[in-house]
Amino acid sequence: MKSLNKFLKDILKGSKPAIARAITIVENDSDYTLLKKLFRSSGKAYYVGITGPPGAGKSTLVNAIAKLLLKKKKRIGIIAVDPTSPFSGGALLGDRVRMTDLALNKNVFIRSMASRGSLGGLAQKTKDVALVLDAAGMDYILIETIGVGQVELDIAQVCDTTAVVGAVPGWSYPIIKTIATTGDGVDQVVVRIEEHRRYLTRSGKLESARKERLFSRINELIEERIRADLHKRLTTQPGLKKIIDDIYNRRRNPFDVAEKILRNSGFVF
Ligand SMILES: Nc1nc2c(ncn2[C@@H]2O[C@H](COP(=O)(O)OP(=O)(O)OP(=O)(O)O)[C@@H](O)[C@H]2O)c(=O)[nH]1
Ligand SMILES: [Mg+2]
């Protein structure tokens, strides 16, 4: 198809409108046609995750890193995953506004993604969007996401390097030197644990964190059952090593392979 080829060429060339269109397709479609085509050109970008609690300074850091990398003549893709949590409520916006000056740079492509309370789907979509940016020739892909609960995107699973930004108001992280074998400094560790516990209890953070963990637990139990079954099917797949080698060498793509395994397992979509 001529128009598809032209579209693909534009993406690979790094054309911003083409990248934007590709991401929109990938975000909204469960059809992998485009990703299958782009996969061959991916694998060159380096993925960096910036995670941490709300307001810790993630966007500011992403901005600063991007500016520094721009000076090194790098092309940068930025994915800002809007933080939403079942307890803290809606998305915290404004990142786009702060990043406007960067967005105008021809070597930067910024995309915000709304998680809309979705659970498992977000990590997958983030990977897909990153794949588009990767194929489009970005040297670095910076992914900002909130990192408090386990329900949210597990960024370390997506990124090559993950930085955790910590600046929690009301509590400063102590660094305590201890020698566990002689017991030196251990009393201080216990004192600080008790202090931290009092702080969490007073601020209500202990209760909200525990509720969030209970929410995650339900989610995990459901996922565990489904995942264990699918994992077994994947690991007992005949010729798996060869399949992985073929994907690594871009002779096959993971989308077709996953579809085939699902189809053969009776998981027809
Ligand atoms: N003093 C100081 N302020 C900072 C630093 N980094 C960020 N800030 C400020 O902290 C506030 C929050 O920064 P953001 O970068 O928006 O934090 P964030 O983690 O992206 O926030 P969310 O995406 O809303 O979770 C802003 O007012 C920043 O100017 C820092 O290193 N030092
Ligand atoms: Mg932010």
Side-chain angles (χ1 to χ4, degrees):
M1 212 164 90
K2 193 160 178 276
S3 61
L4 179 64
N5 282 339
K6 165 87 170 69
F7 180 38
L8 281 171
K9 255 191 210 151
D10 287 346
I11 300 169
L12 299 183
K13 244 180 20 205
S15 141
K16 281 197 183 187
I19 296 172
R21 206 181 125 206
I23 291 177
T24 302
I25 293 171
V26 162
E27 268 188 316
N28 298 311
D29 244 342
S30 49
D31 176 47
Y32 290 120
T33 311
L34 185 60
L35 287 173
K36 286 178 193 179
K37 303 252 185 221
L38 291 176
F39 183 74
R40 186 194 293 269
S41 308
S42 71
K44 296 181 208 84
Y46 194 76
Y47 291 50
V48 179
I50 305 290
T51 190
K58 300 181 293 296
S59 299
T60 313
L61 186 62
V62 166
N63 246 292
I65 293 172
K67 280 183 182 153
L68 203 132
L69 291 174
L70 273 178
K71 280 197 195 135
K72 293 177 184 274
K73 306 271 177 251
K74 301 296 180 196
R75 303 189 63 216
I76 302 139
I78 298 175
I79 304 173
V81 183
D82 290 338
T84 50
S85 122
F87 291 96
S88 71
L92 306 177
L93 298 171
D95 289 344
R96 266 203 115 110
V97 179
R98 281 195 290 272
M99 288 183 177
T100 312
D101 55 332
L102 268 185
L104 295 173
N105 193 298
K106 69 174 170 41
N107 290 324
V108 178
F109 189 95
I110 303 180
R111 183 70 163 213
S112 288
M113 291 180 66
S115 49
R116 296 186 209 100
S118 66
L119 301 176
L122 182 65
Q124 186 56 48
K125 288 288 178 208
T126 306
K127 279 181 220 172
D128 294 346
V129 170
L131 195 152
V132 173
L133 292 172
D134 186 344
M138 303 298 162
D139 299 298
Y140 284 88
I141 295 172
L142 309 178
I143 304 177
E144 177 194 337
T145 184
I146 205 98
V148 277
Q150 271 68 55
V151 174
E152 287 86 0
L153 167 67
D154 185 6
I155 189 136
Q157 192 213 328
V158 178
C159 293
D160 300 308
T161 296
T162 303
V164 180
V165 180
V168 187
W171 184 259
S172 56
Y173 298 96
I175 295 170
I176 306 160
K177 202 170 165 183
T178 62
I179 306 174
T181 47
T182 62
D184 281 8
V186 177
D187 53 340
Q188 268 308 302
V189 175
V190 175
V191 165
R192 298 310 285 252
I193 290 173
E194 283 166 354
E195 264 177 33
H196 190 227
R197 180 181 183 164
R198 277 195 295 278
Y199 160 73
L200 290 177
T201 308
R202 255 199 327 268
S203 61
K205 287 184 177 173
L206 188 64
E207 183 176 333
S208 58
R210 286 188 169 187
K211 283 182 176 168
E212 199 142 344
R213 259 179 252 148
L214 292 172
F215 179 91
S216 303
R217 189 72 190 116
I218 302 171
N219 192 57
E220 271 168 23
L221 286 167
I222 294 170
E223 281 187 357
E224 225 170 73
R225 291 278 270 287
I226 298 171
R227 200 178 300 130
D229 186 45
L230 286 174
H231 185 72
K232 197 171 151 214
R233 284 164 202 265
L234 175 61
T235 49
T236 55
Q237 185 70 20
L240 184 63
K241 200 172 164 294
K242 167 89 169 60
I243 292 172
I244 305 279
D245 279 346
D246 284 350
I247 298 175
Y248 181 81
N249 292 313
R250 268 52 186 175
R251 279 194 292 270
R252 296 180 74 174
N253 70 67
F255 309 100
D256 278 331
V257 170
E259 258 169 40
K260 192 162 172 236
I261 292 171
L262 284 169
R263 219 177 299 124
N264 292 347
S265 316
F267 283 85
V268 184
F269 288 87

